């Protein structure tokens, strides 16, 4: 069973805080520049590059169709990232079910990409990911289940997506990666939201935040 140590009061406090901030700021989404997920609100979009240097790093992995997916496939697009493994018994199927709500809300939207990175890529081959996608009814051509070198996936997860927050930022690939976070990333590969992928209620907020980014491309 997937550990849930990272999803207690801290994530709830972040969610409550952000809901209040978004209400006060007219639904402007914060930026996240550090693994402690301190929200940063920018008054002028011309200041973003200077104040928010952190972006998702380059990558190249194979998806469930054997297609190479890289940073080029998310250029100028919004994307949602999560981390899972096909042999996970309870938590991952729930996360996949909830990510399907995003798939349903934005059917084959060319401006939105879903990236599900395997944390057991030495097990999750292209063929295994294909079987998982069929079993779970994944239909969107923009939803990629990704596998590749373990060290590269783990580094991207911890250093680029801050997937385990501060607790995981300095870990290396010898320590198992486990997180229930969904990460929302904008058109310029900057992190704009963090959500508990096991909670359906948070998917409503994720859908709303995607719509905010879609309405106000940055």
């Amino acid at each position: 069973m997937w550990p849930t140590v990272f999803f207690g009061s801290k994530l709830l406090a972040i969610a409550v805080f952000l809901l209040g901030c978004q209400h006060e700021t007219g639904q402007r989404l914060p930026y996240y520049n550090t693994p402690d997920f301190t929200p940063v609100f920018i008054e002028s979009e011309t200041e973003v590059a200077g104040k928010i240097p952190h972006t998702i790093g380059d990558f190249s992995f194979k998806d469930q169709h054997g297609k190479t997916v890289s940073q080029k496939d998310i250029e100028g697009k919004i994307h949602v990232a999560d981390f899972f493994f096909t042999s996970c018994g309870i938590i991952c199927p729930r996360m996949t079910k909830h990510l399907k709500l995003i798939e349903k809300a934005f059917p084959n939207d060319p401006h939105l990409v879903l990236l599900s990175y395997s944390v057991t890529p030495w097990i999750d081959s292209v063929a295994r990911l294909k079987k998982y996608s069929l079993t779970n009814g994944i239909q969107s051509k923009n939803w990629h289940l990704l596998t590749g070198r373990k060290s590269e996936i783990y580094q991207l997860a911890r250093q680029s997506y801050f997937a385990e927050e501060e607790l995981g930022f300095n870990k290396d690939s010898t320590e198992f990666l486990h997180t229930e976070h969904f990460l929302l990333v904008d058109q310029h590969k900057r992190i704009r939201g963090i959500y508990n992928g096991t909670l359906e209620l948070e998917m409503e907020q994720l859908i709303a935040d995607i719509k905010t980014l879609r309405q106000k491309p940055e």
Side-chain angles (χ1 to χ4, degrees):
M1 181 175 177
W2 197 306
T4 56
V5 65
F6 303 113
F7 300 96
S9 58
K10 182 175 181 179
L11 188 57
L12 178 60
I14 290 174
V16 171
F17 175 77
L18 292 183
L19 286 173
C21 288
Q22 288 175 21
H23 176 74
E24 293 174 1
T25 56
Q27 297 301 317
R28 287 190 296 113
L29 299 184
Y31 292 86
Y32 297 99
N33 204 44
T34 55
D36 62 1
F37 278 92
T38 299
V40 179
F41 288 91
I42 304 296
E43 293 298 326
S44 171
E45 297 305 329
T46 60
E47 302 176 7
V48 171
K51 292 186 176 181
I52 312 294
H54 182 79
T55 59
I56 302 302
D58 293 350
F59 62 90
S60 180
F61 302 115
K62 294 286 187 179
D63 73 1
Q64 70 270 33
H65 305 295
K67 173 187 174 183
T68 298
V69 177
S70 72
Q71 73 279 355
K72 294 179 182 179
D73 294 283
I74 60 172
E75 292 287 352
K77 300 178 182 180
I78 300 163
H79 81 271
V80 177
D82 78 308
F83 300 86
F84 82 113
F85 57 108
T86 61
S87 57
C88 174
I90 298 176
I91 300 300
C92 297
R94 183 183 303 163
M95 292 170 62
T96 298
K97 177 183 177 182
H98 289 165
L99 200 54
K100 283 178 65 65
L101 298 175
I102 311 304
E103 177 189 42
K104 182 179 180 180
F106 304 93
N108 288 314
D109 186 333
H111 303 288
L112 176 67
V113 179
L114 306 180
L115 301 179
S116 293
Y117 297 89
S118 170
V119 299
T120 59
W122 61 93
I123 296 173
D124 292 334
S125 62
V126 168
R128 191 174 178 114
L129 292 178
K130 179 67 172 180
K131 181 178 179 181
Y132 184 89
S133 69
L134 294 174
T135 300
N136 288 277
I138 294 173
Q139 299 180 353
S140 174
K141 63 182 180 181
N142 298 322
W143 186 347
H144 305 283
L145 311 183
L146 299 175
T147 188
R149 291 177 60 88
K150 175 186 175 183
S151 59
E152 293 177 3
I153 291 176
Y154 277 41
Q155 181 177 9
L156 187 73
R158 288 174 169 146
Q159 301 294 316
S160 280
Y161 288 105
F162 307 142
E164 295 171 319
E165 303 178 77
E166 292 174 287
L167 292 173
F169 187 70
N170 293 315
K171 291 181 180 178
D172 60 31
S173 61
T174 64
E175 298 182 73
F176 188 70
L177 171 67
H178 42 77
T179 176
E180 297 161 4
H181 286 149
F182 286 0
L183 288 306
L184 174 62
V185 182
D186 70 15
Q187 296 93 328
H188 299 288
K189 296 185 285 188
R190 292 186 171 90
I191 300 174
R192 306 301 296 277
I194 177 175
Y195 313 83
N196 187 329
T198 69
L199 301 178
E200 185 172 342
L201 181 62
E202 296 217 359
M203 298 305 98
E204 296 179 14
Q205 185 62 51
L206 175 52
I207 289 170
D209 291 348
I210 291 171
K211 290 180 178 178
T212 296
L213 289 181
R214 291 280 284 111
Q215 292 168 356
K216 299 178 181 180
E218 299 167 6

